[in-house]
């Protein structure tokens, strides 16, 4: 397959969408990002790398970090994790409170904010040095020792994080949060603030694409079936209330973030990461969604 040529043509094709939508501005530090950037990178399980555009530029991975924290929580708790957080699609926006209230404080899945806040609580409680352990895990997955948190983004999100604070309070009320609300929220925002490029993320997501190779990074050991289940949750829950649309148009498991990134995997073939900050109404990258739709159309490769 001529992936490099295909990526070049995708880069040209998505230009017709340039300027549509806007970057997330409810996190003040993200509003400063130049919205007119676009990068894409494919990393095959054989080690071939193809990239175009701004694939080396680090960006705020935001909710893509929820895949990494889920991997650690599964390692720590095994199937007991599912007693605190579900694994069904939510069909609601990423920061919705209504469903959480109706379901008595058990979040639908680990990829909506409520679920990820519970996962952050578990990491805080069970890891010996949560902040260091989490970042070292990502550094090892991506092979890049320079990856780090952006404390300014985390702080700026906390300043305006009224909805996430409401979610944490509701979780606490329902006895599904063991830590102190402020501490858990701080850690959750920190996890979202990690900055990585398309190339870094593509390398890191290879571990999820290649589920037949033993997953063992920085003390996180997952079985092949646990890795497959993380992919299953990406497929059904990775795009907020647009998970169905992403399955319909693209047909790969993936996870998006409000920084404009999308990481996806074609199991046992490759990982692919695209980034462009302008988002649609549901919080997903407009050019990113289109690029991946074009990728699976032009290559005729998807899980379906
Ligand atoms: N830090 C963001 C929030 O909690 C993450 C949202 C996202 O990327 O979906 O609102």
């Amino acid at each position: 397959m001529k992936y490099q040529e295909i990526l070049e043509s995708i880069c040209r094709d998505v230009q017709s969408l340039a300027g549509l939508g806007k970057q997330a501005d409810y996190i003040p530090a993200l509003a400063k990002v130049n919205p007119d950037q676009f990068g894409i990178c494919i990393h095959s399980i054989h080690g071939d790398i193809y990239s175009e555009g701004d694939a080396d530029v680090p960006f705020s991975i935001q909710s893509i970090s929820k895949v990494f924290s889920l991997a650690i929580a599964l390692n720590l708790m095994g199937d007991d994790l599912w007693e605190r957080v579900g694994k069904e699609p939510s069909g609601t926006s990423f920061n919705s409170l209504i469903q959480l209230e109706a379901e008595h404080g058990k979040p639908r899945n680990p990829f909506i904010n409520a679920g990820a806040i519970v996962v952050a609580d578990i990491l805080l409680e069970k890891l010996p040095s949560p902040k260091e352990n989490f970042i070292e895990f990502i550094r090892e997955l991506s092979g890049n020792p320079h990856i780090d948190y952006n404390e300014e983004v985390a702080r700026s999100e906390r300043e305006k994080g009224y909805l996430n604070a409401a979610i944490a309070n509701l979780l606490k009320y329902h006895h599904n949060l063991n830590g102190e609300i402020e501490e858990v929220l701080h850690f959750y925002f920190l996890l979202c603030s990690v900055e990585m490029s398309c190339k870094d993320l593509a390398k890191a997501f290879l571990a999820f694409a290649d589920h037949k190779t033993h997953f063992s990074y920085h003390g996180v050991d997952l079985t092949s079936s646990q890795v497959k289940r993380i992919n299953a949750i990406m497929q059904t829950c990775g795009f907020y209330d647009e998970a169905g649309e992403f399955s319909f148009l693209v047909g790969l498991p993936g996870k998006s973030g409000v920084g404009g990134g999308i990481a996806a995997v074609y199991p046992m073939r490759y990982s692919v990461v695209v980034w462009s900050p302008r988002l649609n109404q549901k919080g997903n990258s407009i050019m990113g969604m289109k690029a991946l739709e074009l990728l699976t159309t032009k290559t005729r490769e998807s899980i379906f």
Side-chain angles (χ1 to χ4, degrees):
M1 187 70 66
K2 295 179 173 162
Y3 288 114
Q4 193 63 46
E5 274 174 34
I6 291 173
L7 291 191
E8 280 166 28
S9 74
I10 288 172
C11 256
R12 283 194 301 275
D13 294 351
V14 294
Q15 286 313 316
S16 62
L17 300 175
L20 294 181
K22 62 182 178 73
Q23 77 264 51
D25 53 8
Y26 74 98
I27 302 175
L30 289 188
K32 295 187 215 149
V33 174
N34 168 9
D36 297 312
Q37 301 184 79
F38 175 87
I40 187 164
C41 178
I42 290 179
H43 204 313
S44 85
I45 65 166
H46 304 298
D48 304 313
I49 300 171
Y50 310 89
S51 68
E52 274 297 312
D54 303 308
D56 286 299
V57 179
F59 60 90
S60 195
I61 69 170
Q62 291 298 318
S63 281
I64 298 174
S65 71
K66 293 175 173 133
V67 180
F68 301 130
S69 46
L70 171 62
I72 300 176
L74 258 185
N75 180 243
L76 291 167
M77 296 197 53
D79 282 343
D80 290 347
L81 176 64
W82 309 122
E83 280 165 27
R84 291 191 58 188
V85 51
K87 43 184 152 47
E88 290 292 340
S90 71
T92 59
S93 67
F94 62 96
N95 52 12
S96 167
L97 270 172
I98 298 165
Q99 196 171 56
L100 187 65
E101 182 172 21
E103 298 182 358
H104 313 293
K106 181 172 177 182
R108 273 288 172 100
N109 67 66
F111 290 166
I112 51 171
N113 286 11
I117 291 171
V118 169
V119 168
D121 182 50
I122 291 168
L123 266 48
L124 263 187
E125 193 178 0
K126 298 197 182 287
L127 288 175
S129 315
K131 188 176 167 187
E132 289 73 28
N133 299 151
F134 183 80
I135 205 72
E136 286 299 340
F137 172 59
I138 300 186
R139 287 175 181 157
E140 197 170 315
L141 271 174
S142 61
N144 181 351
H146 303 295
I147 287 168
D148 219 335
Y149 302 106
N150 182 328
E151 310 249 359
E152 189 209 331
V153 170
R155 226 180 356 261
S156 121
E157 184 166 8
R158 178 61 195 108
E159 273 164 27
K160 303 275 176 180
Y162 310 117
L163 215 43
N164 284 319
I167 289 172
N169 276 278
L170 200 53
L171 289 167
K172 190 79 178 169
Y173 173 79
H174 286 289
H175 310 291
N176 200 3
L177 208 70
N178 296 330
E180 290 302 319
I181 290 175
E182 262 320 307
E183 247 178 82
V184 178
L185 278 176
H186 176 70
F187 188 52
Y188 167 75
F189 293 133
L190 211 52
L191 302 183
C192 294
S193 79
V194 170
E195 294 185 335
M196 297 170 80
S197 67
C198 292
K199 280 189 187 162
D200 294 327
L201 269 172
K203 176 83 195 329
F205 268 71
L206 255 199
F208 299 100
D210 185 4
H211 60 80
K212 288 189 183 154
T213 299
H214 184 55
F215 188 109
S216 179
Y217 299 88
H218 203 71
V220 179
D221 289 286
L222 298 178
T223 63
S224 166
S225 104
Q226 284 175 315
V227 175
K228 278 195 283 186
R229 287 182 179 147
I230 291 175
N231 287 346
I233 298 173
M234 284 200 258
Q235 184 75 40
T236 52
C237 312
F239 294 83
Y240 320 122
D241 42 346
E242 224 176 16
E245 186 75 356
F246 190 78
S247 264
F248 186 79
L249 294 175
V250 178
L252 296 176
K255 182 74 201 87
S256 65
V258 295
I262 302 176
V265 297
Y266 183 20
M268 297 318 297
R269 299 289 285 276
Y270 59 70
S271 56
V272 54
V273 176
V274 61
W275 167 60
S276 184
R278 291 185 187 270
L279 309 178
N280 64 18
Q281 296 285 337
K282 311 260 179 171
N284 294 311
S285 168
I286 293 178
M287 284 166 96
M289 294 268 285
K290 190 62 180 178
L292 293 177
E293 181 192 344
L294 288 168
L295 176 68
T296 53
T297 303
K298 287 176 193 262
T299 57
R300 299 189 188 177
E301 293 176 337
S302 85
I303 65 163
F304 299 111

